[in-house]
Each structure stands twice: as C-alpha cells, then as structure tokens.
Amino acid sequence: MNTIRTRFAPSPTGFVHIGSLRTALFAFLFARKNQGHIILRVEDTDQNRKVEGAVENLLKVMKTVGVEFDEGFFLNDAGLAEQKGEFGPYLQSQRLDLYHEHIAKLVEEKKAYYCFCSEQRLEDLRKEQTALKKPPMYDGHCRRLSQDEIDKQMAEFKAAGKNPVVRFAIPTSGQTIIEDLIYGKIVYENQLLDDQVLLKSDGFPTYHLAVVIDDHFMQISHVIRGEEWIPSTPKHILLYQAFGWEAPKFAHLPLTLNPDKSKLSKRQGDVAVEDFLAKGYLPEALINFVAFLGWNPKTEQEIFSLEELINQFDLNKINKSAPIFDVGKLDWMNSVYIKTKSDVELVELLKPYWEKAGVEINKFSNEFLQAVTALEKERLKKLSEIGERTGYYFAAPAVDPKLLVWKKSTSEDAKSKLNELAEFFENLPEEKFSRENLETEVKNFIAAKNYDNGSTLWPMRVALTGLEKSPGPFDAAAVLFIGYGKQEIVKRLKSAAASII
Ligand code: GLU
C-alpha cells in the first residue's frame, strides 16, 4: 500500500494548544503535499479528562485556520461533530471491542499478562526504587505468576467485582530502534522499558494499546506527533511486533519553547489557538507563523499562503532543535497580513472588536469606518488593538493641556494658534476638506502668517486626537470631517484652546 495516510489524534480535553495546531498543520501539509489522507481520530481513553464540546471546538478552530480532514470527524450543519469514513469509528471509546479482542490474543500468546498488584504495592515499589536512585518501573511480579496463581487471583478479583489490569510483557533483552524521520536513529535497551499497562481496570485501553491498534487498522503510513511521545514509541514498535504488524513511519516534532527556553504553558500567557484568534490574529497569519515553528523553507521567503506551504512542505526541512515561540514575529506576520486586506474587508473584521470596545458602530457610516481603517491599517499589529487606537474618532478625546504645547513653544502660543485654526476651519468651504486640500490650505495659512509647522501642527494634531503619537493632523482632520463634518474639528480645536489657562 503506497497511499500516504496520516492522522491527528487529539484527546478531547478542551482548548486547542498552539502546539497541537502545529502537529495538525504539519500532518495536514504532509498529507496534502503527497496526495495522501489525513484522519482526525479522537483519543478519549482517559474518560476523566474528557470535556464536553471539545471536539466541536477543535473542529471549529481547525476550520477557521483552514486545516481540513479527509476522514474522521466533521462539523455538520447543526454545528455538531459527526463521523465519516470507512475506517471508523474514529472515537476510541467506541472501539473497545476491538481492543479487548486484541488484548485477549496477546494474553493468550503470553505477550501480555494480568497484573493484580494493588496501588499500595506499586506505590511501595516506586518509593523503594526512588530511594535506591533507580528509575521507577514495574518489577514483573505478576509476570512470573503460575497459571494456578493467576486463576486464584482472578477468581478473587471477580468475586470482589474488580478487574486486573493487563501489562505488556516487554522483551527483557535486545534493543528496539526508532528510525525517526526527523531525529534519525534512536536506540532503546529493552530491559530499561517498563512493562506498560495496556488495559486498565475500567476496561479502557491505555493510549499505548489504542494508538497502535488504531494506527494499524486505520492504515496509517506516517505518524506525525510531538517529541514528547518519543519515549513511548519503542513500546509501540514492540507492540506492532507482538501483533505481527508492520509499524508506520514516525516523525516526531521538536517541542516549541518560550524565549527563556521554558515549556509553553497556559501560566505564561496565551497558548490556546482560540485566544490568539480572539485577540485578532488573522487565521492566515497564525498558520504562517505556526508553520515556521520548526519548519523552514531554507530560503528568505517568510510569508506563505496555505497553498504555498503545501507546495513547499517537506519533513526533511524540519529542524531538530526546539523552535522558539516569538510573539514579536507573530505580530509582524499579522501586520503584514492585515495590510493585504482591503479597507472594506478589514472594516468587517474590525467591527466585533470596536463593539467590544464599546463603540456603537451602527451609528457610523461605512465610509467613515473605512477611512479610520485605512489610516490605522499600516500600524495595526492585531485587530484587538483597534479600540484603543481609534477611540478619539468615536468620542472627543480628553486632552491633556500640557501635551498641546509644542516643545519649542509656550502655552499662550498654543492657545492662540488653536483659536486661529478653529476660525480658519470655520471659514474653510466644505469642499476643501479632502486630505490633500487640507494639507495645502493649512500650509498656506501657516506660510501667510509666517508661523512654523511645529508650533501650529503639533497642537492641532493633539487637539484632534488627544494623543502624543497618532496619525498626522491632516489625516485626522480629513477622517473626522467624513464622520462628523467640519464642526467637529472646530469644536475640538476650540475646546483644546479653552483647556489651556
Ligand atoms: N492523544 C495523543 C495526544 O493527545 C496523541 C499522541 C499521538 O499522536 O500518538 O497528543
């Protein structure tokens, strides 16, 4: 079978970690690049960690960023997760019979065994080993039980309404070798591998048993997942051998770290893809950024559409060293994508953020909103900044009188210039209020009066925006004119002048 089949296999535990998005994206890019399939399988063997609605949330996030699956789970019209595909069910808790059937085979062939050890015994064992500075691992006690002892203990367990766990009888000698597509050859001594629990006492498989059975029956050719699963992989390879199956190829992705080399965790800031989207990172920017977490096209190009990523993606171009999560770079990429949007598109994207900031956008014309957007577009790093950056367009700003004074001037001068400007605009005909005309007219006014630009334009700009840094005075005036007419400009200049005493 030559078809490339890969999968994304999250546990339904809530939000989508940015690291999970990277795993899903790389598996998706690999599948698309190679005309293969990507399967979405949900690994819910840990029923305690299951979160209601997690699959729907995951599907929504993936849809927003453009990562699509060919089999497994899909969102239906009602927004609910639905399964499709010929290798299902794609939810592990619906595959218990398959796991039980296969674990029975392993037990029969003595490749796995029942373990009746109590929690207390295991705890004591761990303590003993830790005290001796040995790695804690199961000591094989139940592996050595005779059939009689097994029968006896089993009867006792059954009478008490309990089930023993099933452990994997890992070979006690030899080596297991991973030929990882990213990390290369990794060798494990079998005697150092723990006799992993495969079936829990609640009848659920552990991740290790389920992942191997599912990857086999779903005909997965390439397992692409995080580096944290490397230590589990020799156990998986040994399970494939125990079942007599061919193992898929493995590609483990290096863990993404914070700039201080610590693990990305919720405590240090945002790690949920949902949070990044809510802050106004555009899906295409987020995908571009996440693609660069470990992958590099080995050229200067940094801006890639999803289509370009698919064309260029190559597992061989993934770095072994841990990528650093640099929010500055994400901000930069986002600003690049924001600039590629038309003003009309951007206004629609910004509306929810204005609303969140308390702006009653219905009161304003699209022409005005577009003019505000056109001005801010160059500076905007994320959509959520729009509220604080543009507040003065929607309500007259509170102006600090001290800020109105140009550094080489005096407050008396600022006051009189503001009053003169107010009068000037009052008398300027409406048709002169375009951005270009305003600049010409005001500059003529300055020249005629023999004023200098700084002491005139500084107070004008601050009076209109209230800010130390903002778009220039002609830009701000032209936009305010579109929104309110010239009276708003006059009003702001007069009230700024009046604030200086
Ligand atoms: N369910 C595992 C997780 O949550 C998947 C690991 C794998 O891809 O094998 O990450």
Side-chain angles (χ1 to χ4, degrees), residues 39 121 177 187 255 282 286 354 372 412:
I39 289 103
R121 177 172 189 277
I177 298 171
V187 181
L255 199 67
L282 298 174
L286 208 50
W354 269 317
V372 173
E412 293 75 32

Side-chain angles (χ1 to χ4, degrees), residues 7 9-11 43 207 211 223-225 229:
R7 81 315 189 260
S11 300
E43 305 208 324
Y207 155 71
V211 79
V223 168
I224 298 174
R225 62 184 170 199
W229 300 106

